[in-house]
Amino acid sequence: MSTDRLIDAVLDAVAEAFADDRAAVEPLLDDLAAARAHADHMRHAPAATDYGREQAAAALDLAREDLLDVLELPEGTAP
């Protein structure tokens, strides 16, 4: 599957899940956005430790996984 088609499939799945159960998906999107912002901050913060960067990256991975768990992705698009 091409990258463009994969992106389209994921965005469609997010939109469908959001429309079906906004109360379940909205906090997951918020968590993902917050985890992304924190990971970006930790990556560029001069005082951040390697441990802090690793923890922020792990939290971002977990937020992604939590969101992917509720999406109904087409066959061949799930990680």
Side-chain angles (χ1 to χ4, degrees), residues 30-59:
D30 288 340
D31 289 348
L32 180 59
R36 164 51 84 199
H38 182 64
D40 286 346
H41 167 74
M42 293 299 284
R43 196 171 21 256
H44 301 300
T49 63
D50 287 342
Y51 176 78
R53 288 184 183 103
E54 290 170 5
Q55 291 299 305

mmCIF file of all heavy atoms in Angstrom, residues 30-59:
data_model
loop_
_atom_site.group_PDB
_atom_site.id
_atom_site.type_symbol
_atom_site.label_atom_id
_atom_site.label_comp_id
_atom_site.label_asym_id
_atom_site.label_seq_id
_atom_site.Cartn_x
_atom_site.Cartn_y
_atom_site.Cartn_z
ATOM 1 N N ASP A 30 -6.693 13.779 22.014
ATOM 2 C CA ASP A 30 -6.077 14.743 22.929
ATOM 3 C C ASP A 30 -4.797 14.179 23.542
ATOM 4 O O ASP A 30 -3.778 14.869 23.627
ATOM 5 C CB ASP A 30 -7.042 15.137 24.046
ATOM 6 C CG ASP A 30 -8.173 16.028 23.575
ATOM 7 O OD1 ASP A 30 -8.051 16.655 22.499
ATOM 8 O OD2 ASP A 30 -9.187 16.095 24.293
ATOM 9 N N ASP A 31 -4.854 12.922 23.965
ATOM 10 C CA ASP A 31 -3.673 12.282 24.546
ATOM 11 C C ASP A 31 -2.536 12.200 23.529
ATOM 12 O O ASP A 31 -1.375 12.440 23.865
ATOM 13 C CB ASP A 31 -4.003 10.871 25.042
ATOM 14 C CG ASP A 31 -4.876 10.860 26.281
ATOM 15 O OD1 ASP A 31 -5.056 11.938 26.900
ATOM 16 O OD2 ASP A 31 -5.396 9.780 26.614
ATOM 17 N N LEU A 32 -2.882 11.856 22.296
ATOM 18 C CA LEU A 32 -1.869 11.760 21.248
ATOM 19 C C LEU A 32 -1.232 13.124 20.984
ATOM 20 O O LEU A 32 -0.010 13.239 20.872
ATOM 21 C CB LEU A 32 -2.482 11.196 19.965
ATOM 22 C CG LEU A 32 -1.540 11.038 18.774
ATOM 23 C CD1 LEU A 32 -0.374 10.115 19.112
ATOM 24 C CD2 LEU A 32 -2.306 10.505 17.571
ATOM 25 N N ALA A 33 -2.049 14.155 20.916
ATOM 26 C CA ALA A 33 -1.524 15.504 20.687
ATOM 27 C C ALA A 33 -0.616 15.936 21.838
ATOM 28 O O ALA A 33 0.460 16.510 21.612
ATOM 29 C CB ALA A 33 -2.670 16.487 20.503
ATOM 30 N N ALA A 34 -1.027 15.669 23.060
ATOM 31 C CA ALA A 34 -0.218 16.046 24.221
ATOM 32 C C ALA A 34 1.090 15.258 24.261
ATOM 33 O O ALA A 34 2.156 15.819 24.553
ATOM 34 C CB ALA A 34 -1.012 15.831 25.503
ATOM 35 N N ALA A 35 1.011 13.974 23.960
ATOM 36 C CA ALA A 35 2.220 13.143 23.955
ATOM 37 C C ALA A 35 3.181 13.592 22.865
ATOM 38 O O ALA A 35 4.399 13.618 23.072
ATOM 39 C CB ALA A 35 1.853 11.668 23.777
ATOM 40 N N ARG A 36 2.646 13.962 21.708
ATOM 41 C CA ARG A 36 3.485 14.456 20.612
ATOM 42 C C ARG A 36 4.170 15.751 21.015
ATOM 43 O O ARG A 36 5.370 15.929 20.812
ATOM 44 C CB ARG A 36 2.632 14.651 19.354
ATOM 45 C CG ARG A 36 3.252 15.496 18.259
ATOM 46 C CD ARG A 36 4.637 15.096 17.862
ATOM 47 N NE ARG A 36 4.611 14.032 16.899
ATOM 48 C CZ ARG A 36 5.661 13.260 16.653
ATOM 49 N NH1 ARG A 36 6.794 13.434 17.273
ATOM 50 N NH2 ARG A 36 5.596 12.307 15.777
ATOM 51 N N ALA A 37 3.425 16.676 21.620
ATOM 52 C CA ALA A 37 3.997 17.950 22.043
ATOM 53 C C ALA A 37 5.089 17.729 23.094
ATOM 54 O O ALA A 37 6.153 18.359 23.037
ATOM 55 C CB ALA A 37 2.907 18.863 22.587
ATOM 56 N N HIS A 38 4.830 16.831 24.033
ATOM 57 C CA HIS A 38 5.818 16.566 25.078
ATOM 58 C C HIS A 38 7.072 15.916 24.493
ATOM 59 O O HIS A 38 8.198 16.290 24.852
ATOM 60 C CB HIS A 38 5.209 15.685 26.170
ATOM 61 C CG HIS A 38 6.134 15.416 27.294
ATOM 62 N ND1 HIS A 38 6.606 16.399 28.129
ATOM 63 C CD2 HIS A 38 6.704 14.264 27.728
ATOM 64 C CE1 HIS A 38 7.416 15.858 29.027
ATOM 65 N NE2 HIS A 38 7.491 14.568 28.797
ATOM 66 N N ALA A 39 6.887 14.958 23.601
ATOM 67 C CA ALA A 39 8.048 14.299 22.978
ATOM 68 C C ALA A 39 8.873 15.300 22.174
ATOM 69 O O ALA A 39 10.111 15.271 22.219
ATOM 70 C CB ALA A 39 7.587 13.132 22.098
ATOM 71 N N ASP A 40 8.207 16.189 21.444
ATOM 72 C CA ASP A 40 8.928 17.224 20.693
ATOM 73 C C ASP A 40 9.693 18.143 21.634
ATOM 74 O O ASP A 40 10.850 18.487 21.378
ATOM 75 C CB ASP A 40 7.963 18.049 19.838
ATOM 76 C CG ASP A 40 7.464 17.298 18.622
ATOM 77 O OD1 ASP A 40 8.053 16.245 18.280
ATOM 78 O OD2 ASP A 40 6.468 17.756 18.021
ATOM 79 N N HIS A 41 9.051 18.531 22.728
ATOM 80 C CA HIS A 41 9.711 19.386 23.714
ATOM 81 C C HIS A 41 10.950 18.689 24.281
ATOM 82 O O HIS A 41 12.030 19.289 24.366
ATOM 83 C CB HIS A 41 8.748 19.755 24.835
ATOM 84 C CG HIS A 41 9.421 20.366 26.016
ATOM 85 N ND1 HIS A 41 9.916 21.653 26.011
ATOM 86 C CD2 HIS A 41 9.715 19.847 27.242
ATOM 87 C CE1 HIS A 41 10.483 21.904 27.180
ATOM 88 N NE2 HIS A 41 10.361 20.821 27.938
ATOM 89 N N MET A 42 10.788 17.443 24.677
ATOM 90 C CA MET A 42 11.902 16.701 25.274
ATOM 91 C C MET A 42 13.034 16.483 24.278
ATOM 92 O O MET A 42 14.201 16.498 24.658
ATOM 93 C CB MET A 42 11.414 15.358 25.825
ATOM 94 C CG MET A 42 10.490 15.489 27.012
ATOM 95 S SD MET A 42 11.257 16.302 28.425
ATOM 96 C CE MET A 42 12.275 14.968 29.037
ATOM 97 N N ARG A 43 12.705 16.317 23.043
ATOM 98 C CA ARG A 43 13.722 16.091 22.022
ATOM 99 C C ARG A 43 14.615 17.323 21.859
ATOM 100 O O ARG A 43 15.794 17.205 21.569
ATOM 101 C CB ARG A 43 13.044 15.720 20.699
ATOM 102 C CG ARG A 43 13.964 15.113 19.697
ATOM 103 C CD ARG A 43 13.299 14.529 18.454
ATOM 104 N NE ARG A 43 11.983 14.990 18.116
ATOM 105 C CZ ARG A 43 10.853 14.294 18.327
ATOM 106 N NH1 ARG A 43 10.898 13.118 18.893
ATOM 107 N NH2 ARG A 43 9.688 14.782 17.957
ATOM 108 N N HIS A 44 14.055 18.505 22.057
ATOM 109 C CA HIS A 44 14.792 19.747 21.821
ATOM 110 C C HIS A 44 15.233 20.462 23.091
ATOM 111 O O HIS A 44 15.989 21.430 23.001
ATOM 112 C CB HIS A 44 13.947 20.694 20.967
ATOM 113 C CG HIS A 44 13.578 20.114 19.650
ATOM 114 N ND1 HIS A 44 14.507 19.706 18.713
ATOM 115 C CD2 HIS A 44 12.376 19.828 19.108
ATOM 116 C CE1 HIS A 44 13.894 19.218 17.657
ATOM 117 N NE2 HIS A 44 12.595 19.272 17.866
ATOM 118 N N ALA A 45 14.775 20.022 24.244
ATOM 119 C CA ALA A 45 15.128 20.695 25.495
ATOM 120 C C ALA A 45 16.557 20.341 25.894
ATOM 121 O O ALA A 45 16.887 19.162 26.077
ATOM 122 C CB ALA A 45 14.167 20.282 26.605
ATOM 123 N N PRO A 46 17.416 21.331 26.016
ATOM 124 C CA PRO A 46 18.812 21.051 26.349
ATOM 125 C C PRO A 46 18.984 20.359 27.700
ATOM 126 O O PRO A 46 19.908 19.577 27.876
ATOM 127 C CB PRO A 46 19.474 22.433 26.374
ATOM 128 C CG PRO A 46 18.511 23.385 25.789
ATOM 129 C CD PRO A 46 17.165 22.752 25.812
ATOM 130 N N ALA A 47 18.096 20.640 28.643
ATOM 131 C CA ALA A 47 18.236 20.062 29.985
ATOM 132 C C ALA A 47 17.600 18.674 30.105
ATOM 133 O O ALA A 47 17.724 18.034 31.146
ATOM 134 C CB ALA A 47 17.618 21.002 31.014
ATOM 135 N N ALA A 48 16.930 18.212 29.066
ATOM 136 C CA ALA A 48 16.266 16.908 29.135
ATOM 137 C C ALA A 48 17.306 15.792 29.192
ATOM 138 O O ALA A 48 18.342 15.840 28.535
ATOM 139 C CB ALA A 48 15.366 16.715 27.926
ATOM 140 N N THR A 49 17.000 14.799 29.982
ATOM 141 C CA THR A 49 17.893 13.642 30.081
ATOM 142 C C THR A 49 17.514 12.609 29.015
ATOM 143 O O THR A 49 16.410 12.650 28.457
ATOM 144 C CB THR A 49 17.771 12.989 31.465
ATOM 145 O OG1 THR A 49 16.428 12.491 31.624
ATOM 146 C CG2 THR A 49 18.107 13.972 32.573
ATOM 147 N N ASP A 50 18.416 11.687 28.764
ATOM 148 C CA ASP A 50 18.103 10.604 27.832
ATOM 149 C C ASP A 50 16.909 9.800 28.337
ATOM 150 O O ASP A 50 16.038 9.401 27.561
ATOM 151 C CB ASP A 50 19.310 9.676 27.648
ATOM 152 C CG ASP A 50 20.407 10.315 26.824
ATOM 153 O OD1 ASP A 50 20.130 11.302 26.117
ATOM 154 O OD2 ASP A 50 21.549 9.819 26.884
ATOM 155 N N TYR A 51 16.866 9.585 29.653
ATOM 156 C CA TYR A 51 15.751 8.854 30.243
ATOM 157 C C TYR A 51 14.433 9.597 29.983
ATOM 158 O O TYR A 51 13.431 8.982 29.598
ATOM 159 C CB TYR A 51 15.966 8.677 31.750
ATOM 160 C CG TYR A 51 14.803 8.007 32.440
ATOM 161 C CD1 TYR A 51 14.628 6.632 32.346
ATOM 162 C CD2 TYR A 51 13.879 8.745 33.176
ATOM 163 C CE1 TYR A 51 13.561 6.012 32.967
ATOM 164 C CE2 TYR A 51 12.812 8.135 33.804
ATOM 165 C CZ TYR A 51 12.659 6.766 33.686
ATOM 166 O OH TYR A 51 11.595 6.149 34.297
ATOM 167 N N GLY A 52 14.428 10.892 30.172
ATOM 168 C CA GLY A 52 13.227 11.694 29.926
ATOM 169 C C GLY A 52 12.802 11.628 28.473
ATOM 170 O O GLY A 52 11.607 11.534 28.168
ATOM 171 N N ARG A 53 13.766 11.685 27.583
ATOM 172 C CA ARG A 53 13.447 11.580 26.149
ATOM 173 C C ARG A 53 12.873 10.215 25.814
ATOM 174 O O ARG A 53 11.916 10.101 25.048
ATOM 175 C CB ARG A 53 14.701 11.852 25.318
ATOM 176 C CG ARG A 53 15.130 13.296 25.327
ATOM 177 C CD ARG A 53 16.343 13.529 24.407
ATOM 178 N NE ARG A 53 16.763 14.899 24.499
ATOM 179 C CZ ARG A 53 17.822 15.323 25.181
ATOM 180 N NH1 ARG A 53 18.588 14.455 25.816
ATOM 181 N NH2 ARG A 53 18.126 16.603 25.207
ATOM 182 N N GLU A 54 13.452 9.173 26.395
ATOM 183 C CA GLU A 54 12.955 7.811 26.155
ATOM 184 C C GLU A 54 11.544 7.638 26.700
ATOM 185 O O GLU A 54 10.700 7.006 26.054
ATOM 186 C CB GLU A 54 13.897 6.796 26.791
ATOM 187 C CG GLU A 54 15.235 6.693 26.083
ATOM 188 C CD GLU A 54 16.240 5.858 26.860
ATOM 189 O OE1 GLU A 54 15.880 5.275 27.918
ATOM 190 O OE2 GLU A 54 17.392 5.795 26.409
ATOM 191 N N GLN A 55 11.291 8.191 27.874
ATOM 192 C CA GLN A 55 9.960 8.088 28.465
ATOM 193 C C GLN A 55 8.923 8.846 27.630
ATOM 194 O O GLN A 55 7.800 8.372 27.444
ATOM 195 C CB GLN A 55 9.966 8.615 29.901
ATOM 196 C CG GLN A 55 10.744 7.730 30.846
ATOM 197 C CD GLN A 55 10.155 6.333 30.913
ATOM 198 O OE1 GLN A 55 8.980 6.149 31.185
ATOM 199 N NE2 GLN A 55 10.976 5.338 30.642
ATOM 200 N N ALA A 56 9.303 10.005 27.127
ATOM 201 C CA ALA A 56 8.386 10.786 26.292
ATOM 202 C C ALA A 56 8.102 10.049 24.985
ATOM 203 O O ALA A 56 6.958 10.025 24.519
ATOM 204 C CB ALA A 56 8.968 12.170 26.014
ATOM 205 N N ALA A 57 9.124 9.436 24.407
ATOM 206 C CA ALA A 57 8.933 8.670 23.172
ATOM 207 C C ALA A 57 8.044 7.449 23.431
ATOM 208 O O ALA A 57 7.176 7.119 22.614
ATOM 209 C CB ALA A 57 10.278 8.244 22.595
ATOM 210 N N ALA A 58 8.236 6.802 24.573
ATOM 211 C CA ALA A 58 7.409 5.644 24.926
ATOM 212 C C ALA A 58 5.954 6.063 25.135
ATOM 213 O O ALA A 58 5.030 5.346 24.718
ATOM 214 C CB ALA A 58 7.956 4.967 26.176
ATOM 215 N N ALA A 59 5.744 7.210 25.762
ATOM 216 C CA ALA A 59 4.373 7.703 25.970
ATOM 217 C C ALA A 59 3.710 8.014 24.630
ATOM 218 O O ALA A 59 2.513 7.765 24.446
ATOM 219 C CB ALA A 59 4.386 8.943 26.861
#
